[in-house]
Amino acid sequence: MSLDHSLAKKITRDALISLCLYALPVFALIFYYAFTGERPWENPVKDYAQVSAPAFLKFLEPVFRNLKSWGLIAIALGLGVLEFVAGLYDNKWTPTERKIDIVCFLVPKLLLPSITGFFSLKLLPLVLPGAANAFSWVPFWGGFFVIAVADDLTQYWYHRLHHQLPFLWRFHRTHHSAPYMGMAMNSRQNFIYTVFFSQIYLTATLVYLGLGYQALFVTVLKSLITLSAHSSIPWDKPFYKYRILHPIAWVLERLISTPATHHAHHADTADDGIGYYKGNFGNMFFLWDVIFKTGIITRQYPTSYGIKFYKEEEWYAQFLWPIFKSKKEGSELSANGPEVGDDPALVDETQLKPELATAKLTTA
C-alpha cells in the first residue's frame, strides 16, 4: 500500500514543527542563563541536578527509585489481579491471549536491561568518548523538560508512524489485537517493536550526558500515566461527571493520556464517533495530538476493542514476527500475508479472506 500524498505532506509539516518543540526546552535554558548571567558550566557542581531539585522531590526520591526498580511491576501485577477479579477477561482471555500477554510482560523485563545496558555502558562511551556527565550542570527543571519532551515526543512519532506507514503496522499490530483493554496492553508488543523503541536510546544518551536524576522522575511519571491509560479502571470518569471538576478535566485530557482518550485509540471501529485508532497516539502527553490535530476527545468509552481482521494468531508469531510467521491462512503475519495496515476499510475483502477470491473465480 502506497503512502497517501496528503498524509506524506502532513507528516513532513508536523516533523518540522516537532524540531521546534524539541528545541524549546533548550532555548528556554539559553534564555534563562542569558537573562541571569549565570554560567554554571564553567564550574559544574557534582550532582548539580540534585542540588537544584525542589526539597519535596529529594524527599520523594527513594519512592521513585523503588518504583523504577520493582514498584511499577508490583503495581502492574496488582492492577492485573483487580481486573481479573472484576471479570474483565471473562470469555476473552483465551489460551492464546494469555500466552501473548504473559510473554510480552515477562520477556522484555528479562532481556531489555541487557540490551540497553550494553548501549549505555559500551556503545555510548565508544561513540561519545569523554562526554559522560557533560551536562550535569543543567538545573533539575531544565533537564526534566528536556527529557520529558525528547522522550515522549520521540515515542509519539514512533507510535504514529507505525500506524500511518503500512509496512510498519505489523510490528505494532500485537498491541491492538486483543479484544479487551487492561493493564496487560501496556506491555503487549511485538518484541522487535519494543527493542527498537527509539526513545529508550535517546533517553539513555541523555542520562549518559548527565541528566540521569531528571530521567528518574520522568520515566516513573510516564510509566504511571501510560499504565493507568491502558488500564480498565476509568479513573477519569469523575472529572467528566461532576461539573465542578470540568475545568480540571479540560486541562487534564489535553495534557496527558487518560483512559477515555487512549481506550478510543484501541477501539475496533471508528463508526461510533468514539473509537479513533488512526489518532490519539500520545503516550504520556496527549498534548502532541492536540498540537498536530491527530486527537479526538469524546469523554466516552468504546464498547469493543481490537482489530476486526484479527485471526488470533499464535503467540510466537505475534511476539516475534517476522522471525516467526503465523500458520493462519490469510493472516497479515503469515508467510505471504497481505499488507493490511490499521484500516481494513482500505483493503479489498479478498486480501483478508483468500477463500473469497477462489469462490469468485469459480462462479465467474
Side-chain angles (χ1 to χ4, degrees):
M1 290 179 5
S2 59
L3 185 63
D4 179 77
H5 176 71
S6 61
L7 177 59
K9 188 175 180 180
K10 178 173 171 54
I11 288 175
T12 303
R13 184 200 66 188
D14 291 352
L16 293 174
I17 295 172
S18 293
L19 293 177
C20 298
L21 293 172
Y22 279 118
L24 272 180
V26 178
F27 283 137
L29 277 172
I30 294 172
F31 177 79
Y32 173 78
Y33 285 120
F35 181 76
T36 61
E38 297 178 27
R39 304 172 72 86
W41 54 88
E42 293 181 350
N43 187 27
V45 178
K46 188 178 181 181
D47 294 328
Y48 184 87
Q50 282 184 272
V51 172
S52 61
F56 77 92
L57 286 182
K58 294 177 187 177
F59 177 75
L60 290 174
E61 180 191 345
V63 176
F64 276 74
R65 291 198 181 279
N66 286 329
L67 279 172
K68 189 171 183 180
S69 59
W70 59 268
L72 289 169
I73 295 176
I75 290 172
L77 290 173
L79 278 175
V81 170
L82 283 175
E83 292 169 344
F84 186 82
V85 171
L88 169 67
Y89 304 105
D90 288 354
N91 303 318
K92 296 178 181 177
W93 216 28
T94 64
T96 297
E97 304 304 334
R98 281 200 300 274
K99 289 174 186 174
I100 296 168
D101 287 345
I102 292 171
V103 168
C104 289
F105 182 76
L106 293 177
V107 174
K109 289 171 176 57
L110 296 174
L111 298 182
L112 271 183
S114 299
I115 296 171
T116 54
F118 177 80
F119 176 79
S120 299
L121 300 175
K122 297 294 184 181
L123 290 184
L124 284 177
L126 186 65
V127 175
L128 301 171
N133 297 316
F135 294 101
S136 60
W137 53 267
V138 174
F140 177 84
W141 287 113
F144 182 92
F145 286 113
V146 166
I147 292 270
V149 171
D151 182 289
D152 202 57
L153 182 54
T154 301
Q155 188 173 1
Y156 164 86
W157 272 106
Y158 188 74
H159 183 195
R160 174 176 166 176
L161 291 177
H162 276 77
H163 277 270
Q164 295 185 331
L165 302 183
F167 72 93
L168 290 178
W169 163 249
R170 282 180 280 194
F171 290 102
H172 182 54
R173 180 183 187 270
T174 302
H175 188 61
H176 285 265
S177 61
Y180 48 82
M181 276 295 284
M183 177 281 299
M185 294 305 97
N186 196 46
S187 55
R188 179 170 167 142
Q189 296 280 13
N190 176 294
F191 188 62
I192 309 300
Y193 179 90
T194 302
V195 166
F196 287 98
F197 261 157
S198 47
Q199 78 282 355
I200 292 177
Y201 305 102
L202 175 59
T203 300
T205 302
L206 292 172
V207 169
Y208 173 76
L209 293 173
L211 304 182
Y213 190 69
Q214 295 93 328
L216 168 68
F217 293 92
V218 173
T219 53
V220 170
L221 284 175
K222 178 173 181 174
S223 297
L224 290 172
I225 290 170
T226 56
L227 186 62
S228 68
H230 284 91
S231 173
S232 63
I233 299 173
W235 59 263
D236 54 342
K237 279 190 174 180
F239 291 94
Y240 312 141
K241 182 179 180 181
Y242 300 106
R243 184 178 295 273
I244 194 173
L245 297 178
H246 284 185
I248 299 176
W250 191 94
V251 174
L252 199 65
E253 64 195 359
R254 284 163 176 76
L255 179 62
I256 66 171
S257 288
T258 62
T261 54
H262 201 69
H263 279 224
H265 177 68
H266 281 262
D268 66 352
T269 180
D271 296 339
D272 58 1
I274 298 173
Y276 198 55
Y277 50 81
K278 294 187 78 65
N280 290 25
F281 302 122
N283 294 276
M284 174 166 64
F285 294 127
F286 191 77
L287 182 62
W288 313 131
D289 287 294
V290 174
I291 292 172
F292 300 120
K293 294 180 171 45
T294 55
I296 184 174
I297 298 174
T298 66
R299 299 186 176 183
Q300 299 180 62
Y301 282 73
T303 55
S304 56
Y305 301 95
I307 46 181
K308 289 182 177 179
F309 43 93
Y310 182 44
K311 292 181 178 292
E312 201 170 335
E313 290 85 359
E314 305 87 347
W315 69 268
Y316 54 82
Q318 295 206 54
F319 185 61
L320 282 173
W321 184 90
I323 298 174
F324 295 106
K325 306 289 196 340
S326 172
K327 297 176 182 177
K328 300 285 181 81
E329 186 179 358
S331 166
E332 293 176 274
L333 306 183
S334 62
N336 297 304
E339 190 178 85
V340 175
D342 69 351
D343 190 351
L346 300 178
V347 184
D348 187 275
E349 194 176 19
T350 57
Q351 285 186 273
L352 298 176
K353 297 179 180 178
E355 65 271 14
L356 292 179
T358 304
K360 288 181 178 180
L361 288 173
T362 304
T363 57

